[in-house]
Amino acid sequence: QDSLTIANKALAHHQHSVKSIDIWMWIAFVEFGIIIFLLGKGGFKSKETARQKFKKESLKQDIDFSNIINSSFNSIQLYDELKVKCHPDKFSTDKEKYEIADALFQEITKNKTNIKRLNELKIEATQKLNINF
């Protein structure tokens, strides 16, 4: 009887340990499934670098090659003319024109190498500040 009791206890202990192993195995399967799901959702997508994103956005835009070439050769002369005639210090006595000249001068400085925009600013300066070129 003692050997049967010991055998029954051993079997009961073995069945209990098998059940606990089964539980941990299922937990591991669930964790594995979650990991695979998360990797499939966003892990396999390659993330664009800033350079790739800039290139992609640049290719979507229209490129004005004539403006690029004209700007290369003619923008500095127009920029020099505009910065002298539209400088805010020339309008220090008239507060309203001073503010307009200041905004124009900042825009002129920002677009120093863009002849197309400089020509637009030239027209704007002629209209708003009554400057003759």
Side-chain angles (χ1 to χ4, degrees):
Q1 288 250 357
D2 285 337
S3 60
L4 284 176
T5 307
I6 293 173
N8 284 334
K9 286 182 182 177
L11 282 173
H13 179 68
H14 178 68
Q15 288 175 350
H16 177 70
S17 65
V18 168
K19 286 181 183 178
S20 66
I21 290 174
D22 286 344
I23 291 171
W24 288 111
M25 182 180 71
W26 285 110
I27 290 173
F29 279 136
V30 169
E31 288 176 345
F32 183 71
I34 291 171
I35 291 170
I36 295 298
F37 173 75
L38 292 175
L39 286 176
K41 185 176 181 180
F44 293 117
K45 294 178 185 175
S46 63
K47 301 202 180 206
E48 283 184 329
T49 62
R51 185 175 184 173
Q52 290 170 334
K53 187 175 182 180
F54 176 75
K55 182 179 177 182
K56 189 177 181 183
E57 289 174 6
S58 296
L59 290 174
K60 289 179 184 176
Q61 298 175 356
D62 292 332
I63 299 172
D64 187 3
F65 287 108
S66 64
N67 184 41
I68 293 171
I69 292 173
N70 285 335
S71 295
S72 299
F73 295 106
N74 303 321
S75 65
I76 298 299
Q77 296 154 346
L78 182 57
Y79 168 74
D80 289 339
E81 183 181 5
L82 285 172
K83 76 176 181 182
V84 169
K85 291 198 176 191
C86 297
H87 199 280
D89 290 344
K90 285 190 156 204
F91 305 96
S92 59
T93 57
D94 187 355
K95 187 173 183 174
E96 185 179 326
K97 283 190 175 183
Y98 178 84
E99 290 175 4
I100 294 169
D102 187 43
L104 276 172
F105 190 76
Q106 288 177 15
E107 195 69 23
I108 289 166
T109 305
K110 193 185 328 179
N111 292 288
K112 181 178 183 177
T113 58
N114 184 352
I115 196 158
K116 189 175 185 179
R117 182 67 178 132
L118 288 175
N119 281 323
E120 293 170 358
L121 292 169
K122 181 179 178 180
I123 294 168
E124 192 175 334
T126 304
Q127 293 171 349
K128 292 183 177 179
L129 297 175
N130 299 324
I131 299 174
N132 296 321
F133 289 92

